[in-house]
Amino acid sequence: MDLDFTDDQSALRDTLRTFFEKESSTAAVRAAEPLGFDAALWRRVVDLGLAAIAVPEHLGGGGAGFVELAIAAECLGRSLAPVPLIEAAVANDLIASLSDIASLSDGGSPLPGGGSSSAGAPDARLESLTARAVAGELLATLALRPATGDLARVVPAGAVADLVAVLRGDELLLLRQPDRGPAAPGGAVHNLGALPLADCPIDTEHALVLARGPAAVRAYRRALSRWELLTGAALFGLGSKALDIGVDYVMQRKAFGVLIGTFQTIQHRLADNAIALDGARLLAYEAAWAQDENLPTADTSATMAFLFAAETAHKTASEVLHFHGGYGYTLEYDIQLYFRRAKAWSLVAGDSRAAYARLAHRVFGATQAQGQAQAPAPAPAPAERAG
């Protein structure tokens, strides 16, 4: 495993960092609140092809991988760019891959209400929606929780998305939102992280079945893992920029006539955060590499990367905010923008404690079960041997 960037990947990182620093200044981030969406910036992101960069070329995408997407997510996180790039990229990859499978299958294609075409040809509506999403004409997102009845709750980018991929029971649906989109936001749930969250009603008239049964659940879980790894990369970017803000501030702010950056306790905490962020970066790009290599540990690595990056970014932003003293809580200072999003971006997926518990069961539960299966049978008791 070599996680060093290629020349092309390094050039991509430099280009995207420059792009987001220019197009997503803190003034632009503030202007996008409270919705947390900049339609003009989203159009420029689409024009760069970022939302379809990991979609295979024969489906109209860029044919790159998740390492390249993680680079884009990191740059987005550093600038707090108010665009749902991560959700759109994951949804586009999911929709395109299932549409491609349907087009190659001899057993019919997904259709509304669970039917299949009699000729075995792909549903024209699905093909059209997939092509338009990959081309950037439609904004697609992913519901991070299975639907409750006929409602997908707290969907990231749900307030601005044209399409929503959501699991309902054992069916993976593609929901068309005719009354919402980048040009017509609606139903946003207020949140301090300034995210375009929304509850999305499921209308069967506007829903296509992408997959059913175990295949649908597997595809949905894989999409969630990819969202986790990309969000982990974005949180690493956020935390890195928060650390930079902290270093700049402590080298200017004085207390008792000296720079507070000379205080040992501040130096130690900044150093601890820098080391933790290095670990978050390693986990994020290892998880992206594992996805590209289709390793069996890819989903577990993604969850690890997400949880560690979330914890590290929040701790870094929180401590830098405290280094600012009372100024850190005022809207005039940029660190509060990072602090609020460091918490909000991870909470979209739910309680981290539950996620840690699921991860532990996935890793150690399986290990214990395997160990028990391979353990030799206990020796018989003395009475049994004598018998």
Side-chain angles (χ1 to χ4, degrees):
M1 178 180 63
D2 182 4
L3 295 180
D4 289 335
F5 289 157
T6 65
D7 290 342
D8 288 343
Q9 290 168 344
S10 295
L12 176 66
R13 179 191 57 191
D14 294 342
T15 299
L16 292 182
R17 181 173 290 191
T18 300
F19 169 79
F20 281 115
E21 286 176 352
K22 177 183 177 182
E23 303 293 344
S24 182
S25 63
T26 52
V29 173
R30 285 182 169 89
E33 292 186 333
L35 178 62
F37 178 72
D38 184 332
L41 176 57
W42 174 246
R43 178 44 51 189
R44 289 191 283 273
V45 168
V46 167
D47 290 342
L48 289 176
L50 294 180
I53 193 174
V55 175
E57 288 182 289
H58 72 276
L59 296 175
F66 278 87
V67 171
E68 287 76 15
L69 257 180
I71 290 172
E74 176 192 337
C75 295
L76 175 149
R78 283 187 63 88
S79 298
L80 306 180
V83 289
L85 172 59
I86 293 172
E87 290 77 18
V90 171
N92 286 343
D93 175 72
L94 172 65
I95 297 166
S97 63
L98 292 177
S99 177
D100 193 34
I101 291 172
S103 68
L104 298 175
S105 174
D106 292 329
S109 64
L111 288 175
S116 61
S117 66
S118 59
D123 182 7
R125 285 170 293 178
L126 178 58
E127 284 189 330
S128 174
L129 292 176
T130 301
R132 293 179 65 191
V134 171
E137 297 175 17
L138 297 176
L139 196 166
T141 189
L142 176 73
L144 302 183
R145 299 169 181 78
T148 303
D150 289 329
L151 185 67
R153 296 187 60 82
V154 196
V155 178
V160 297
D162 300 290
L163 304 172
V164 179
V166 56
L167 185 70
R168 184 175 66 173
D170 66 347
E171 290 185 332
L172 185 56
L173 305 178
L174 181 62
L175 172 66
R176 180 76 160 95
Q177 297 198 115
D179 57 340
R180 295 181 188 174
V189 176
H190 177 72
N191 61 96
L192 292 178
L195 294 170
L197 305 172
D199 294 337
C200 300
I202 299 175
D203 183 354
T204 54
E205 181 181 350
H206 297 105
L208 295 171
V209 180
L210 292 171
R212 292 186 177 85
V217 176
R218 286 195 301 270
Y220 178 71
R221 287 178 177 172
R222 176 54 58 92
L224 289 180
S225 294
R226 290 171 171 175
W227 180 89
E228 286 180 329
L229 84 85
L230 293 175
T231 303
L235 284 163
F236 158 68
L238 182 157
S240 297
K241 182 61 177 179
L243 183 66
D244 291 346
I245 292 173
V247 172
D248 289 344
Y249 185 78
V250 301
M251 296 308 295
Q252 298 175 30
R253 176 69 172 173
K254 288 186 176 181
F256 308 109
V258 297
L259 293 171
I260 65 173
T262 62
F263 297 161
Q264 197 172 62
T265 182
I266 289 180
Q267 294 174 351
H268 287 176
R269 290 162 74 181
L270 288 171
D272 287 345
N273 287 323
I275 293 171
L277 284 166
D278 280 346
R281 179 188 183 279
L282 174 64
L283 285 174
Y285 283 104
E286 182 179 356
W289 170 80
Q291 288 286 342
D292 286 339
E293 296 296 320
N294 200 29
L295 299 182
T297 57
D299 293 349
T300 298
S301 296
T303 302
M304 290 179 175
F306 169 68
L307 291 174
F308 187 73
E311 182 178 320
T312 301
H314 181 258
K315 179 175 180 292
T316 301
S318 176
E319 293 195 348
V320 170
L321 184 145
H322 281 86
F323 296 158
H324 281 68
Y327 290 138
Y329 293 93
T330 63
L331 296 180
E332 289 80 6
Y333 280 74
D334 292 343
I335 188 59
Q336 54 85 19
L337 297 171
Y338 288 82
F339 174 75
R340 289 189 284 123
R341 286 160 178 80
K343 191 67 173 178
W345 287 2
S346 60
L347 279 178
V348 172
D351 186 358
S352 63
R353 292 171 298 182
Y356 273 115
R358 290 192 298 269
L359 176 63
H361 178 76
R362 191 189 312 170
V363 176
F364 299 110
T367 301
Q368 291 174 354
Q370 184 180 10
Q372 292 172 358
Q374 294 178 351
E384 292 174 339
R385 290 200 298 267

